[in-house]
Amino acid sequence: MRFCAIADGKPLRTFPGLAPALAFAVVAAISGCQSKNGASEVLDPAAIAVPASQAGATTAAPAQLTASSAATAPKGNLTLGTGSTKIVMLLPLSAPGSAGENGRKMYDAARLAMADLGDKLVTLTIEDTRGDSGYAKDLAVKAITSGGVKVVIGPAELAAAQHLAKLSGTQRPPVLALADNFAGGPGVYSVRLSEADSAAAGAAAVASKGAKKFVLLVPAGANAGAVEARVANALSIYGATLAVTLPYSASDAAKVVSDMGSLVEAPDAVVVASGDGSPVAVLSALKAKGIPGKAVSLIGTERWLERPIDPLYEGAYIATLDQSETGPIADRFKATYNYQPDVNVAYAYDMVALSAGIASSVGPNGFSKQVLENASGFRGSTGLF
């Protein structure tokens, strides 16, 4: 993970040692053992509704590792490897637009990881969600209740991941969700860097330098609580506190910033989450009050970087993925597939590599809460898990 300050639209400096364990957001206990008695012990019966079209799904022969442009979706289910640990990976291979392009990149990454690490350790079945959240949820439920799958990688559809996080069950394999900006849930791990992760890591890094009093400005909505909880927890490690959390909308940003002045005296840092919107309205109001400045640091999130860098970003600290970590994988990937990998490639490769590593060191039944949340973690191309 990289923690950088923005100046003139470019990273000003980086602090490579500030990489907390980010990826697995966990809410409740799960079991790493498979159910042997029936699907009702894996999920509540009401959740087990597999479409008739899936009843006769077939598995293709093992795919060969050949150069690809990631332009076309493979046909049918694909099986890679011959190991005893069964894994299902759900990708939007035939989805239109960028979702499908990302799915096909992740498919190539999975093939590379299997060739590198997992071919004799796991059997990986890759299924096409078509970018349809409902269909992705059905495929995931089928995999969870199959009785043989040890871990599910994906889905990448946010609504499907959120649905899975709401399901209850006494025994089921873990899900390593690839959905962006997913908060995680019981037995459903969020593996991508979320805004809550980025905000918490940025706040923690500034707190580690001595800042004690923080303010959080966060878009009003369902995700506000998750961001607040993560930031407050990260600060507590360094003896710092979140003095106040102020939800805002684009229309009342100036008022919220004005209210901040009357609620908190002399904060050391202000954290600004942006959600799906732009942070510019809040940043403009903060700049009018001299923030950032010598006395007050400004902390942004990786979601700021989804938009063109605005001059108002100058002086802000943002915790995001360190692209240099993906170097060794990126070189092999480009040599194999003749195109440049991106963060989607890195996440998919890491999840297959993690699964192969657990299968190798612990065995097929090693996908437990204790193993996945081991304090030693797993160092992947996207950072420390």
Side-chain angles (χ1 to χ4, degrees):
M1 180 166 181
R2 183 175 74 245
F3 178 57
C4 61
I6 303 296
D8 299 325
K10 297 179 180 179
L12 179 64
R13 57 189 182 275
T14 61
F15 303 92
L18 301 172
L22 294 175
F24 294 136
V26 183
V27 176
I30 60 172
S31 169
C33 301
Q34 283 298 129
S35 169
K36 297 180 180 179
N37 299 319
S40 63
E41 292 188 6
V42 183
L43 290 177
D44 286 341
I48 306 168
V50 180
S53 60
Q54 290 302 297
T58 59
T59 301
Q64 298 298 312
L65 188 61
T66 56
S68 167
S69 65
T72 58
K75 303 297 184 182
N77 294 345
L78 298 161
T79 297
L80 308 175
T82 58
S84 59
T85 301
K86 294 182 180 180
I87 300 172
V88 169
M89 190 173 197
L90 306 176
L91 299 175
L93 298 174
S94 62
S98 60
E101 184 70 15
N102 291 339
R104 294 186 288 275
K105 290 177 182 177
M106 288 190 280
Y107 162 70
D108 283 345
R111 291 199 295 159
L112 182 62
M114 287 294 290
D116 285 350
L117 301 165
D119 189 51
K120 300 296 190 295
L121 293 168
V122 305
T123 296
L124 175 67
T125 299
I126 301 175
E127 300 183 7
D128 181 13
T129 67
R130 308 190 300 234
D132 184 316
S133 291
Y135 187 61
K137 181 265 294 182
D138 290 338
L139 289 177
V141 168
K142 179 187 176 186
I144 288 170
T145 59
S146 68
V149 174
K150 301 302 183 182
V151 64
V152 177
I153 302 174
E157 293 80 6
L158 178 58
Q162 290 171 332
H163 180 89
L164 293 174
K166 296 176 182 177
L167 300 179
S168 60
T170 56
Q171 293 183 1
R172 56 173 170 169
V175 176
L176 308 178
L178 293 168
D180 205 6
N181 295 303
F182 171 54
V188 186
Y189 293 81
S190 173
V191 301
R192 299 182 73 110
L193 178 67
S194 70
E195 182 160 46
D197 298 327
S198 180
V206 172
S208 73
K209 303 299 180 181
K212 294 298 182 184
K213 187 188 295 185
F214 287 71
V215 173
L216 171 63
L217 298 175
V218 61
N223 291 330
V227 177
E228 179 182 27
R230 292 298 302 279
V231 171
N233 183 64
L235 292 176
S236 69
I237 297 171
Y238 296 95
T241 59
L242 186 56
V244 66
T245 296
L246 299 174
Y248 71 90
S249 64
S251 61
D252 67 358
K255 180 181 183 303
V256 170
V257 171
S258 178
D259 291 343
M260 180 186 76
S262 62
L263 293 170
V264 183
E265 183 179 355
D268 296 313
V270 177
V271 183
V272 179
S274 61
D276 294 329
S278 169
V280 167
V282 171
L283 299 183
S284 180
L286 288 171
K287 185 175 183 179
K289 290 186 172 294
I291 301 173
K294 290 183 178 180
V296 187
S297 297
L298 176 63
I299 301 164
T301 75
E302 49 86 30
R303 297 215 66 184
W304 289 21
L305 304 179
E306 295 175 1
R307 301 170 178 273
I309 292 180
D310 190 279
L312 289 168
Y313 290 15
E314 185 171 350
Y317 293 91
I318 299 176
T320 188
L321 295 178
D322 189 345
Q323 298 300 321
S324 65
E325 292 279 351
T326 66
I329 292 174
D331 292 342
R332 291 202 309 282
F333 187 92
K334 188 173 182 180
T336 302
Y337 299 113
N338 300 319
Y339 70 93
Q340 193 67 36
D342 61 10
V343 69
N344 296 289
V345 166
Y347 279 120
Y349 185 101
D350 279 358
M351 290 306 98
V352 175
L354 171 61
S355 300
I358 292 175
S360 175
S361 60
V362 188
N365 293 321
F367 293 85
S368 66
K369 174 183 173 68
Q370 291 72 26
V371 171
L372 289 171
E373 298 176 43
N374 188 299
S376 299
F378 161 76
R379 187 170 184 82
S381 65
T382 50
L384 184 65
F385 290 80

